[in-house]
Each structure stands twice: as C-alpha cells, then as structure tokens.
C-alpha cells in the first residue's frame, strides 16, 4: 500500500540501467510470479509496510520454491529485517533471498547477484550471515517466557484516584476537516528526510558535511511543492475522533456507550508482556485504564485522520508528466501532513480532556513527546494486532470520512493515522515482545478467533514455533 520506498528503489535501479516492471501495490502472489516469468525477470523484489505483509512474503517464497522459480528474491520495506528474512523467508526458498536495507544498497546487491564472478562469494556471505541470525534467533526463542498467569499477576499497581482518571469531555465521535495550512507548523521534517534515506535530525541535517547539500535541495523542493499543495488545496485533511467512558476488564479494554456503563460500545483485547524482566512489571495497554471492579469512571479516546485525500490524483498527474520525483515527493509530503494532523489532534484532545489545558510546548517538545498521554496505533509494538482496526473503524465510522481498510488491514489512503488515546499520567509506549502459546490461546478465545488465525496475525510476536 505504502509504496514510497518501493518507488525510490525502482528509480535508483532504473537510473543505473536496469529495466523495472512495477506491478503496483497489493499484488497477489500468483500475479507477481506469473509476471516474473512472462517478463523473464532476473530478480523479484517484494516490499512490505505492515506486519501482515511479512507472512505474505513467506507465502511468495514458498510458491517460488513450489513452482521451481530460481530467480533471486529481494526483501525490503519498513517492517522487514535481516532477522525475519533469515528466519522466516529464506528457509522457504532454496534460491538466493536477500534483505536490502535501503535503496542505496539495491544497486550493489543486484549487480552482485547478476554477476557470474561476484555471485558465488556474495551468496556464500549472505548464507553465512543468515545462518548466524537463525542461530541467534533460536537462542532468543529458547529463553523462557513468564507464564501468562504470572504476567497478569505482575501488572503494574497504578493509582486511579481523581488526579489520574479523566472524564470524557463528551461521549461519541466528531468528524471534521482541517485546512492544510494549520498543519504545516506541526510537521516533523526529520522523517521526511528518512523517506529519502537521508539520516539525521532536522534542521541539523541541512548542515551535515556529507548529506547537507542533498538535504537542502530536497527540503527546498519539498517546501515548494508543499506551498503549492496548500495554496491550491490539492490535498484534503479529514478526520474523526471521540471519547467513551472506559474500564479495563482483565486484559480487555472496554468502552461504554454512556457514563452509566449500561452497554459496551467496543471491546479491544490487549496483549501483555511475558518476557523475563526481573522485578519490573509486565505491561499491557489495559493497565492504563481503571479496572472495572475499581468503580472509577475512566475514559478512553480514539481517532482516525488522513491527509491523503487527493494524493492519487496528484500523483497520477505527475506520473503522466513522467515526473517520478514529484510523484514520490507528493506521497512523502502527504505522510508528513498526516502525522502532523495526528499530533495536532492529540494536542486538541489533551486540551479538551482538561489535563493538557495549560500546555505550552515547542515543536521540539512535541516531537520528544514531553506531554501527558499516549496515542498507540494498532500494529505497533504495544498493540501489534492489526485485526483490531475494523473494530476501531466501526466505532469511529472512519469510512464515512474516506478512510478505509484493505483486506490485510492497511489504511487507505496510505497517508493516514489511527489509534487510541490514553490519558493516565503513567501511560507510556512499550513493546509487548514475544508472547507464549498460553497467552495466544487466551487471546484467541477472547477474540472469538481460532488459535491458528491468531498465530497468523501475531506471527512476528510468537515466542514459539506454531504447528504448520
């Protein structure tokens, strides 16, 4: 879905004399492999953004093996890693499987794979590194996890007195649009440069001895296009957010329809840390909301925003003019505007909730998250299960604002952000990490899902090898 990195890799390779056949986004395995054979491709590349695409990459590798396709397989994208490639993808395919960290490495990797002289040594080094990563992964998996019941007993003991719980300023959802000009000052430009693989913090990167000249040129081009987008209203920023009375029920987060808690508006099962952490608590997002048995009237917020409405039309206009640079630049700016929108809305929410009414934060303070409250998104480390997104979107009626989900739970438009709001002063981001079969069984039961289904969606977090 999110094809900025894929497009940059394609442009870089094309500039080095390679012919690129770009099949687009959300492409089925059979279409990829059929096209590879019909085009007589030398190399097949897969790019993934969200964790469900990791499992699909394994499926493609298995199909390549079944069909006897021996072309090298390149793996890249935000959620991919050398370890996942080595542990999950490479063993499914007897040909060369290579993780490519970024676009700057793609040319060297492809050149090595297509060279009769260089390939034997390249493959040997890649195989050796992947074997090392598999052994390291095996050692990590072998480390014991805390039994789920013990992890539950080690939940943090938080205060839910009057200073820690926040009553909802209203109950229900509100939809709205924001002029793009209001979001410009909220943009974190650091990640704009990261999209182009220029690593460093903004604005220091502009004066970097090695990257400064490229960064300044990119920033100037980005500012020029951004002014045009804002001035001509080429993109639309639209969102929806809301508040609901809430409590935790074990590791479930329960949102109520009203203050009397007469009926459930939504129930979000959460996961809990199980790794050995000495005397530290095992965290779940449910910990940051008052337990139902406490009798405290707590609340939780939810949101979905996009700055990507209009992106496809603008990108197609640039592509029709054979201007790949401006097309990619458009998507990168839409991403930054969406993240700016999410940060702008979170500040608004903190003010409405009351505890953030006196905030006076600089952009640097906001980027460093020097404020109370968090806004975790499904698919991220604290709540890695993407299958909870439909429940969130139903609660918010996000599709009415033009924000939808693909069958693998990626958001459309791609320049969109969604998640939950937690207001407890001790709420913080964390990583659930590996989970045991005992928790997966309990989690699947709470979701009304088979264990096999739960294992599929939680594959990157499993602390054990599920039965095939």
């Amino acid at each position: 879905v999110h094809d900025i990195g894929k497009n940059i890799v394609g442009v870089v390779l094309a500039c080095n004399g390679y012919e690129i056949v770009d099949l687009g986004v959300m492409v089925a395995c059979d279409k990829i492999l059929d096209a590879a054979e019909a085009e007589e491709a030398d190399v097949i590349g897969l790019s993934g953004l969200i964790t469900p695409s990791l499992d699909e990459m394994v499926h493609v590798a298995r199909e390549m093996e079944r069909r006897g396709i021996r072309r090298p397989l390149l793996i890249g994208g935000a959620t991919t890693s050398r370890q996942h490639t080595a542990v999950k993808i490479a063993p499914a395919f007897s040909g060369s499987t290579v993780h490519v960290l970024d676009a700057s490495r793609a040319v060297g990797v492809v050149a090595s794979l297509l060279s009769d002289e260089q390939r034997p040594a390249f493959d040997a080094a890649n195989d050796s590194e992947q074997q090392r990563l598999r052994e390291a992964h095996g050692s990590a998996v072998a480390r014991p996890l805390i039994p789920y019941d013990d992890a539950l007993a080690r939940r943090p003991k938080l205060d839910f007195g009057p200073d820690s719980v926040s009553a909802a300023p209203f109950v229900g959802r509100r939809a709205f649009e924001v002029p793009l000009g209001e979001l410009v000052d909220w943009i974190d430009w650091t990640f704009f440069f990261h999209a182009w693989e220029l690593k460093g913090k903004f604005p220091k990167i502009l004066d970097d001895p090695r990257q400064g000249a490229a960064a300044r040129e990119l920033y100037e081009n980005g500012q020029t296009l951004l002014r045009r987008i804002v001035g001509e209203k080429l993109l639309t920023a639209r969102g929806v957010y809301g508040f609901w009375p809430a409590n935790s029920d074990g590791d479930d987060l329960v949102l109520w329809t009203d203050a009397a808690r007469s009926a459930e508006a939504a129930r979000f099962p959460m996961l809990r840390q199980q790794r050995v952490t000495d005397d530290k608590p095992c965290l779940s997002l449910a910990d940051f909301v008052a337990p139902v048995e406490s009798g405290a009237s707590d609340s939780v917020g939810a949101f979905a925003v996009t700055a990507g409405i209009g992106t496809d039309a603008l990108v197609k206009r640039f592509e029709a003019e054979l201007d790949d640079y401006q097309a990619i630049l458009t998507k990168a700016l839409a991403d930054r505007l969406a993240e700016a929108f999410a940060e702008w809305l979170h500040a608004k929410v903190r003010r409405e909730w009351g505890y953030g009414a006196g905030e006076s934060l600089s952009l640097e303070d906001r980027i460093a998250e020097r404020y109370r409250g968090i806004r975790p998104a499904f698919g991220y480390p604290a709540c890695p299960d993407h299958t909870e997104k439909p429940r969130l979107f139903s609660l918010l009626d996000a599709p009415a604002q033009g924000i939808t989900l693909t069958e693998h739970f990626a958001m459309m438009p791609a320049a969109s952000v969604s998640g939950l709001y937690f207001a407890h002063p001790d709420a913080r981001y964390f990583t659930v990490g590996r989970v045991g079969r005992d928790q997966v069984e309990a989690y699947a039961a709470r979701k009304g899902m088979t264990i096999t289904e739960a294992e599929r969606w939680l594959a990157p977090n499993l602390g054990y090898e599920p039965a095939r």
Side-chain angles (χ1 to χ4, degrees), residues 393-456:
F393 274 46
S394 176
L395 178 73
L396 292 166
D397 194 17
Q401 303 310 310
I403 313 171
T404 59
L405 296 172
T406 70
E407 62 179 331
H408 289 102
F409 310 114
M411 290 180 288
M412 295 291 287
S416 301
V417 185
S418 65
L420 297 171
Y421 292 126
F422 293 82
H424 195 281
D426 292 326
R428 63 181 178 85
Y429 298 104
F430 61 91
T431 298
V432 166
R434 294 184 301 124
V435 295
R437 184 178 174 87
D438 54 352
Q439 178 165 192
V440 174
E441 290 175 348
Y443 185 74
R446 283 152 52 206
K447 285 174 66 70
M449 179 182 280
T450 68
I451 294 173
T452 301
E453 286 178 298
E455 288 175 335
R456 176 193 173 196

Side-chain angles (χ1 to χ4, degrees), residues 175-467:
F176 61 104
E177 287 188 12
V178 175
L180 290 176
E182 288 198 27
L183 304 179
V184 171
D185 289 342
W186 293 74
I187 292 177
D188 178 359
W189 286 99
T190 293
F191 290 97
F192 172 76
F193 295 101
H194 285 191
W196 299 85
E197 295 169 10
L198 294 172
K199 302 298 192 290
K201 288 189 175 183
F202 178 82
K204 290 182 179 179
I205 192 172
L206 300 179
D207 297 317
D208 184 270
R210 186 172 60 87
Q211 305 176 107
R216 288 191 296 274
E217 181 181 4
L218 178 62
Y219 183 58
E220 182 179 337
N221 292 338
Q223 289 285 340
T224 299
L225 180 56
L226 180 60
R227 285 192 292 270
R228 180 182 172 189
I229 287 172
V230 172
E232 298 179 23
K233 299 180 180 179
L234 299 176
L235 302 181
T236 299
R238 190 178 295 159
V240 57
Y241 76 110
F243 300 94
W244 286 266
N247 291 105
S248 59
D249 181 13
D251 275 350
D252 285 356
L253 182 62
V254 182
L255 278 59
W256 306 100
T257 57
D258 53 50
R261 298 184 287 185
S262 60
E264 292 185 10
R267 177 179 287 255
F268 296 101
M270 295 295 175
L271 291 164
R272 181 173 295 279
Q273 293 174 326
Q274 282 185 267
R275 63 180 181 268
V276 177
T277 52
D278 300 323
D279 59 344
K280 294 181 181 179
C282 295
L283 299 177
S284 167
L285 285 175
D287 297 335
F288 303 136
V289 182
V292 66
E293 62 270 18
S294 71
S297 298
D298 212 342
S299 59
V300 162
F303 74 98
V305 298
T306 185
I309 297 172
T311 302
D312 288 347
L314 186 55
V315 166
K316 287 178 181 177
R317 188 190 310 177
F318 285 128
E319 288 176 342
E321 298 169 357
L322 303 180
D323 194 339
D324 289 333
Y325 178 60
Q326 291 293 325
I328 296 173
L329 201 60
T330 296
K331 295 177 183 181
L333 288 172
D335 280 356
R336 291 302 94 219
L337 285 166
E339 290 290 347
F341 192 177
E343 198 62 51
W344 176 92
L345 181 57
H346 195 190
K348 172 181 169 66
V349 161
R350 294 194 298 272
R351 291 193 300 272
E352 291 185 356
W353 231 332
Y355 63 86
E359 281 184 359
S360 179
L361 303 175
S362 65
L363 176 61
E364 182 181 77
D365 290 333
R366 296 196 299 266
I367 291 172
E369 296 168 354
R370 297 189 182 108
Y371 49 73
R372 172 176 160 180
I374 58 174
R375 52 175 180 90
F378 287 113
Y380 280 71
C383 44
D385 184 5
H386 287 270
T387 67
E388 287 302 303
K389 285 181 184 174
R391 202 186 319 270
L392 175 69
F393 274 46
S394 176
L395 178 73
L396 292 166
D397 194 17
Q401 303 310 310
I403 313 171
T404 59
L405 296 172
T406 70
E407 62 179 331
H408 289 102
F409 310 114
M411 290 180 288
M412 295 291 287
S416 301
V417 185
S418 65
L420 297 171
Y421 292 126
F422 293 82
H424 195 281
D426 292 326
R428 63 181 178 85
Y429 298 104
F430 61 91
T431 298
V432 166
R434 294 184 301 124
V435 295
R437 184 178 174 87
D438 54 352
Q439 178 165 192
V440 174
E441 290 175 348
Y443 185 74
R446 283 152 52 206
K447 285 174 66 70
M449 179 182 280
T450 68
I451 294 173
T452 301
E453 286 178 298
E455 288 175 335
R456 176 193 173 196
W457 294 109
L458 297 176
N461 292 86
L462 297 181
Y464 61 97
E465 291 295 331

Side-chain angles (χ1 to χ4, degrees), residues 21-235:
V21 179
D22 188 341
L23 300 180
V25 297
M26 294 185 291
V27 185
C29 174
D30 284 346
K31 182 178 178 181
I32 293 171
L33 301 188
D34 289 347
E37 293 187 308
E39 299 282 352
E40 299 182 349
D42 296 299
V43 177
I44 297 172
L46 306 177
S47 178
L49 173 70
I50 62 176
T51 49
S53 61
L54 298 178
D55 191 55
E56 184 66 13
M57 289 175 170
V58 178
H59 173 61
V60 173
R62 289 188 184 128
E63 281 298 289
M64 289 177 68
E65 184 70 14
R66 185 184 69 81
R67 291 172 56 161
I69 298 173
R70 290 294 176 265
R71 297 166 177 84
L73 178 61
L74 303 186
I75 301 295
T79 56
T80 64
S81 66
R82 291 184 307 145
Q83 185 181 63
H84 180 268
T85 302
V87 173
K88 298 293 185 181
I89 304 176
F93 177 51
S94 57
S96 301
T97 306
V98 184
H99 180 259
V100 184
L101 183 64
D102 55 47
S104 65
R105 314 284 179 89
V107 175
V109 169
V110 173
S112 297
L113 288 170
L114 299 186
S115 166
D116 291 338
E117 293 77 22
Q118 297 179 47
R119 182 166 178 176
F122 180 88
D123 277 342
N126 185 55
D127 291 345
S128 176
E129 172 67 3
Q130 289 183 344
Q131 181 58 33
R132 184 190 68 78
L133 290 168
R134 282 190 286 271
E135 291 172 357
H137 174 76
S139 299
V141 170
R143 288 198 292 268
L145 296 174
I146 298 172
Y148 181 46
D149 286 344
D150 291 351
L152 280 167
R154 292 176 63 162
R155 68 191 305 157
K157 296 176 174 58
L158 303 182
D159 172 60
F160 290 100
D163 294 334
S164 299
V165 297
S166 301
F170 63 86
V171 177
R173 57 181 175 260
R174 292 178 180 173
F176 61 104
E177 287 188 12
V178 175
L180 290 176
E182 288 198 27
L183 304 179
V184 171
D185 289 342
W186 293 74
I187 292 177
D188 178 359
W189 286 99
T190 293
F191 290 97
F192 172 76
F193 295 101
H194 285 191
W196 299 85
E197 295 169 10
L198 294 172
K199 302 298 192 290
K201 288 189 175 183
F202 178 82
K204 290 182 179 179
I205 192 172
L206 300 179
D207 297 317
D208 184 270
R210 186 172 60 87
Q211 305 176 107
R216 288 191 296 274
E217 181 181 4
L218 178 62
Y219 183 58
E220 182 179 337
N221 292 338
Q223 289 285 340
T224 299
L225 180 56
L226 180 60
R227 285 192 292 270
R228 180 182 172 189
I229 287 172
V230 172
E232 298 179 23
K233 299 180 180 179
L234 299 176
L235 302 181

